[in-house]
Amino acid sequence: MREQLTSSVIPDTASDLNEMFNQEILSHFLDGVITIDGQGIIHSVNRAVEQIFGYTSVQLLGANVSLLMPQPFRSHHDEYIRQYQHTGQASIIGKGQREVRGQRADGTVFPMDLAVFEFTVGDQIHYCGILRDISARKQIETDLRIASYAFEAPIGMVVTDARTRILKVNHAFTRITGYTEREAIGNPASLLRSDHHPAEFWTDMWDCLYQNHIWEGEVWSRRKNGEMFPKWLTVTAIRDEAGSISHYIATMNDLSEQKASEEAIRQLALYDPLTGLPNRRLLMDRLRQAMSVGARNALYGALLFIDLDHFKTLNDTLGHSCGDQLLKQVADSLSGCIRQSDTVARLGGDEFVIMLVELSSDPISAAERTKLVVNSIIDKFKEPFLLNEEHFHTTPSIGATLFVGHRESIDDLLIQADLAMYKAKSTGRNGYCFFDPEMQSAALKRSTLEMDIRQGIQQEQFVVYYQPQVNVKEQIKAFEALLRWQHPLRGFVSPSEFIPLAEETGLIIPLGLWVIESACRQLVAWSQDEQRREHSIAVNVSAKQIYHSDFVAEVKDIIDRTGADPHLLKMELTESLLLANVDESIIKMKQLRDLGIRFSLDDFGTGYSSLNHLKRLPLDQLKIDQSFVRDVLLDEHDATIARTIIALGESMSLNVIAEGVESSEQKEFLIRCGCRCFQGYLFGYPDLPERY
Ligand code: C2E
Ligand code: CA
Ligand code: CA
């Protein structure tokens, strides 16, 4: 019978069936049950005790219970036993429940919960201990404690349920996002979402999470205060035993500081700390890039070396902080002179470099454009700088060189620009110099002309001449206003020479308005004249003018101011101008037409207008270009063109005028073709209005 019992007792204490039954129950206990006598001798153990300690019941029964204790306790226990034997007091063994340590047969020490109570058999006190191995629970507690320490690491952490509702956040999370634990818990994790990423970004993230259980990447989030910030996010999907996602754990690193320091490093490496301008390294980089682009599109760029005159003296007399202030202001001024695609860099000291890109495919016009920038720089320096609230004047010396593709090396270019700058300095400061003498003379000629036009406007050297436009009977019906320049030294300057430059420099805007105003005054003067009151005046208008944003308003202003009849005012526009931007042209023309102004298409036939486009324009007249009229009797081809234009005008209900008519044969031919209006030396040269 005993063999079948899995709890064991010292044979003579097992007595009856009832006792057996108890033993049977005890054998199924998960907790260990052990009885000892007052001397610590083990009288019974159940199966759990054997399993927990790794001894067989045979080894345990009759042994001292101190066998199951680790060394330090063993000696205490032995002490208790000795005291008990001496005093007969057993209470010191310690009764009640507590956590103690046990030692297994293999020597390992483990924690256990122990409850002890005493009972008597005869007059002998016995003790019963009920013990439970709690090492597994302890391990979990330790793990949890470690986890909770880890959870409070300086990295932001969030635990969510499967529906991404926030269950737990740590302190770092609060520090990073601004949301306290209370504010965050219960909210969806999208609480932090910014609208920086497109919807596909998030779909990709979830796809990846489902497949790989983990996703990481840079994400822009929003803090509680609304601020956007970059973070490195790692999300891990936690699955339960059934394999379905039960939780997500996300860790986040705030990258904003890292980004800021990256940016700071970039700034330090590539920018001049004083002015914030690109430094030499960045300039070289951009120059290399510009040369590669130039090699492809064959457009010239320019490199300008700019050095402040007498900067050293300023630095020595007013001190370095003044010098620094000046350099900063110069940096701002120079930045204001260039387009966004260009670069201003500071190489150090008072040396600045400007790189202009994609100027022109033609070196002369690239030089001219460079000159415009140089002029605007020199103009900027005419205004005083403010140093310690004192006005201060300085001038630049500028050296320029052109580049296209990789024809010269970067070093050569820098040397060229530098040499040109020294030449500029030596030929009297506040000047500029091109490395290439040919460029220099082109730019020089150009700049004198430009200055002269400015002066010409101021000194009223411009005059408007009028050339009559006649009908079949050679009666004057209108005049074309043609600009004349009486230069005090150079004499008469042809409009073909100065109009293109005026257009390029923008001077055509004031000049053109001046012509329109003169024409309007002429109309008003003629309105008193019985013979002339119905004559209209045609004014030439160039592209720069009509596309200028204030043009319509300025014209209206002139009409209002002069009191001229706008119905007598005509504008001559060229095909190429109108077709440069058809939609914009139509808008502008309609606005002007609302004022009463009419339109003539000048130089018609020389462009390649498509009729479709022309049909959309609110035109009144086609003007056959003089080149066709000139040879209309000699060249069959030109005659055909003239004939076709006249027929076209008729079909579109447009008036047609032939210009440059010099002989009556030409006139007769054109009449036979159906032309009704004429202009040319045959009827009158451009002249002062009083001559007519
Ligand atoms: P355009 O508008 O084609 O002007 C006609 C040109 O032909 C004028 O030259 C005129 O003097 C000339 N001409 C007139 N009749 C005859 C002729 O029978 N035979 C020959 N061979 N030529 C004749 P001009 O005055 O030198 O003007 C040249 C160009 O300058 C004009 O060409 C026009 O495009 C431009 N222009 C003149 N004045 C102005 C103006 O006030 N504003 C603008 N934007 N451009 C103007
Ligand atoms: Ca004209
Ligand atoms: Ca013309």
Side-chain angles (χ1 to χ4, degrees):
M1 185 73 181
R2 189 168 296 146
E3 290 311 310
Q4 288 164 11
L5 290 177
T6 35
S7 339
S8 312
V9 289
I10 291 175
D12 44 289
T13 54
S15 47
D16 53 17
L17 248 162
N18 191 28
E19 185 84 358
M20 288 294 216
F21 180 67
N22 284 343
Q23 291 300 326
E24 183 61 34
I25 292 174
L26 282 179
S27 75
H28 286 98
F29 267 34
L30 292 175
D31 289 347
V33 179
I34 184 167
T35 57
I36 56 173
D37 62 19
Q39 271 74 42
I41 301 302
I42 300 172
H43 283 249
S44 71
V45 292
N46 67 351
R47 184 161 52 182
V49 171
E50 294 176 299
Q51 280 164 351
I52 292 169
F53 287 93
Y55 290 106
T56 60
S57 57
V58 176
Q59 288 170 307
L60 291 172
L61 297 178
N64 194 293
V65 74
S66 66
L67 176 70
L68 304 179
M69 297 172 183
Q71 197 29 257
F73 296 95
R74 229 177 256 178
S75 39
H76 278 129
H77 181 77
D78 293 348
E79 181 61 20
Y80 294 145
I81 299 297
R82 266 195 301 281
Q83 279 186 19
Y84 170 74
Q85 287 166 345
H86 190 65
T87 61
Q89 289 292 316
S91 57
I92 38 176
I93 291 179
K95 292 173 287 184
Q97 186 179 345
R98 61 198 194 280
E99 189 185 316
V100 297
R101 277 164 200 272
Q103 187 171 28
R104 302 187 217 271
D106 64 6
T108 52
V109 174
F110 67 98
M112 58 185 195
D113 269 347
L114 175 67
V116 177
F117 60 89
E118 51 179 58
F119 62 96
T120 41
V121 180
D123 58 349
Q124 289 292 305
I125 288 187
H126 281 68
Y127 299 94
C128 177
I130 300 172
L131 52 96
R132 178 178 295 177
D133 181 351
I134 57 170
S135 48
R137 196 185 84 205
K138 280 275 164 189
Q139 187 58 46
I140 290 170
E141 278 173 15
T142 312
D143 287 352
L144 280 176
R145 206 163 42 244
I146 292 169
S148 84
Y149 277 124
F151 200 70
E152 282 317 329
I155 190 170
M157 285 195 211
V158 191
V159 180
T160 75
D161 63 15
R163 286 161 50 230
T164 77
R165 216 144 281 275
I166 298 175
L167 301 176
K168 198 165 162 57
V169 299
N170 68 354
H171 284 119
F173 171 91
T174 301
R175 190 167 34 75
I176 294 171
T177 65
Y179 289 104
T180 63
E181 192 174 358
R182 263 181 60 194
E183 288 165 335
I185 287 177
N187 271 303
S190 59
L191 177 71
L192 304 176
R193 190 176 285 195
S194 73
D195 40 23
H196 180 86
H197 302 282
E200 308 87 72
F201 177 86
W202 301 109
T203 350
D204 289 353
M205 174 185 126
W206 287 113
D207 285 351
C208 174
L209 256 177
Y210 280 121
Q211 273 173 26
N212 309 330
H213 303 181
I214 186 157
W215 178 91
E216 58 180 342
E218 192 179 314
V219 173
W220 281 82
S221 292
R222 197 182 292 284
R223 299 191 218 272
K224 188 181 165 190
N225 64 11
E227 189 192 348
M228 298 259 292
F229 71 103
K231 69 184 184 194
W232 187 262
L233 179 67
T234 308
V235 186
T236 315
I238 307 294
R239 289 180 189 264
D240 57 21
E241 281 119 41
S244 45
I245 292 173
S246 63
H247 295 86
Y248 293 101
I249 298 179
T251 61
M252 54 181 79
N253 262 330
D254 190 343
L255 296 180
S256 40
E257 270 177 29
Q258 185 188 327
K259 293 243 160 184
S261 35
E262 275 169 20
E263 185 51 34
I265 291 167
R266 218 177 78 84
Q267 278 284 332
L268 283 175
L270 300 177
Y271 292 87
D272 164 38
L274 177 66
T275 60
L277 292 179
N279 64 12
R280 179 185 284 269
R281 188 180 298 143
L282 186 53
L283 173 72
M284 294 304 129
D285 199 46
R286 293 201 182 156
L287 189 53
R288 219 167 286 128
Q289 223 173 312
M291 288 166 106
S292 301
V293 174
R296 264 179 274 130
N297 62 17
L299 292 177
Y300 278 82
L303 205 62
L304 308 182
F305 248 67
I306 301 153
D307 188 273
L308 305 185
D309 298 331
H310 312 295
F311 180 73
K312 197 175 150 2
T313 325
L314 163 95
N315 237 351
D316 292 348
T317 51
L318 294 179
H320 285 272
S321 98
C322 267
D324 285 356
Q325 280 180 47
L326 179 66
L327 292 174
K328 279 194 226 172
Q329 292 177 36
V330 167
D332 288 345
S333 290
L334 293 179
S335 305
C337 294
I338 56 161
R339 298 164 303 172
Q340 195 143 34
S341 48
D342 301 331
T343 299
V344 186
R346 177 170 172 246
L347 298 193
D350 59 339
E351 272 189 336
F352 293 88
V353 173
I354 289 181
M355 179 184 76
L356 305 174
V357 293
E358 303 188 355
L359 290 171
S360 167
S361 55
D362 163 49
I364 298 290
S365 69
E368 284 161 5
R369 278 161 195 270
T370 306
K371 182 64 221 315
L372 291 179
V373 176
V374 167
N375 277 347
S376 68
I377 295 172
I378 292 177
D379 276 354
K380 274 272 171 70
F381 276 78
K382 284 182 185 146
E383 293 156 26
F385 294 97
L386 212 56
L387 302 182
N388 293 341
E389 298 178 21
E390 298 265 352
H391 282 176
F392 179 84
H393 275 278
T394 182
T395 49
S397 290
I398 305 171
T401 192
L402 297 181
F403 62 88
V404 61
H406 301 282
R407 202 179 292 169
E408 276 98 7
S409 73
I410 288 189
D411 290 339
D412 286 349
L413 278 182
L414 291 172
I415 292 169
Q416 288 180 1
D418 202 23
L419 282 175
M421 192 271 293
Y422 273 102
K423 203 150 130 217
K425 256 206 199 320
S426 63
T427 50
R429 296 165 187 246
N430 189 25
Y432 71 93
C433 189
F434 271 90
F435 176 72
D436 184 334
E438 201 185 322
M439 304 294 150
Q440 179 70 2
S441 70
L444 204 63
K445 191 168 154 221
R446 200 72 176 195
S447 72
T448 10
L449 186 60
E450 189 192 328
M451 227 147 61
D452 281 8
I453 296 178
R454 282 180 204 276
Q455 221 169 42
I457 299 176
Q458 273 170 7
Q459 300 182 353
E460 301 177 4
Q461 295 164 2
F462 290 94
V463 194
V464 179
Y465 273 31
Y466 292 87
Q467 183 179 32
Q469 298 179 335
V470 301
N471 63 9
V472 178
K473 292 181 194 157
E474 300 197 10
Q475 293 164 319
I476 296 178
K477 289 287 164 192
F479 288 90
E480 177 176 4
L482 292 159
L483 191 55
R484 296 289 174 265
W485 186 9
Q486 242 359 96
H487 192 277
L489 301 174
R490 297 163 66 189
F492 175 81
V493 186
S494 162
S496 322
E497 200 175 323
F498 67 82
I499 296 277
L501 180 67
E503 284 176 344
E504 204 167 297
T505 53
L507 286 170
I508 192 67
I509 306 230
L511 202 53
L513 288 173
W514 179 83
V515 174
I516 294 171
E517 180 153 354
S518 305
C520 285
R521 291 196 190 287
Q522 196 56 59
L523 283 174
V524 173
W526 281 340
S527 69
Q528 309 299 318
D529 183 336
E530 196 64 43
Q531 244 198 321
R532 301 260 174 262
R533 66 187 328 160
E534 283 177 13
H535 292 165
S536 56
I537 296 180
V539 181
N540 294 286
V541 172
S542 60
K544 253 283 176 43
Q545 288 176 271
I546 200 158
Y547 293 138
H548 191 257
S549 57
D550 297 336
F551 186 63
V552 178
E554 307 254 33
V555 170
K556 184 173 187 313
D557 182 55
I558 290 173
I559 289 170
D560 291 347
R561 258 190 300 118
T562 56
D565 179 359
H567 296 93
L568 294 178
L569 193 62
K570 197 186 280 181
M571 290 187 175
E572 291 196 5
L573 310 171
T574 61
E575 287 172 67
S576 50
L577 173 163
L578 294 175
L579 297 180
N581 187 342
V582 182
D583 296 327
E584 170 92 19
S585 304
I586 292 175
I587 293 171
K588 287 291 173 75
M589 285 170 82
K590 289 205 167 132
Q591 288 171 342
L592 292 163
R593 204 197 175 98
D594 287 344
L595 300 178
I597 295 169
R598 287 169 304 140
F599 298 97
S600 178
L601 191 56
D602 206 354
D603 304 344
F604 188 60
T606 54
Y608 301 92
S609 319
S610 99
L611 284 177
N612 277 341
H613 280 133
L614 288 182
K615 267 191 278 182
R616 293 173 60 203
L617 300 169
L619 290 169
D620 301 278
Q621 187 179 58
L622 298 180
K623 202 168 188 184
I624 308 174
D625 187 63
Q626 47 182 292
S627 61
F628 305 118
V629 175
R630 190 172 53 223
D631 296 332
V632 87
L633 299 172
L634 309 171
D635 187 332
E636 185 46 38
H637 181 70
D638 286 357
T640 313
I641 292 176
R643 230 182 274 123
T644 316
I645 294 175
I646 294 163
L648 177 70
E650 249 165 39
S651 73
M652 290 171 73
S653 312
L654 296 175
N655 173 289
V656 177
I657 185 170
E659 70 173 335
V661 181
E662 295 181 357
S663 73
S664 40
E665 287 80 12
Q666 289 170 335
K667 182 195 157 204
E668 291 310 319
F669 175 84
L670 290 162
I671 289 176
R672 280 203 300 282
C673 294
C675 188
R676 297 282 168 268
C677 298
F678 311 91
Q679 180 184 348
Y681 296 162
L682 179 65
F683 319 102
Y685 289 87
D687 209 337
L688 290 169
E690 47 272 28
R691 305 268 171 85
Y692 284 100

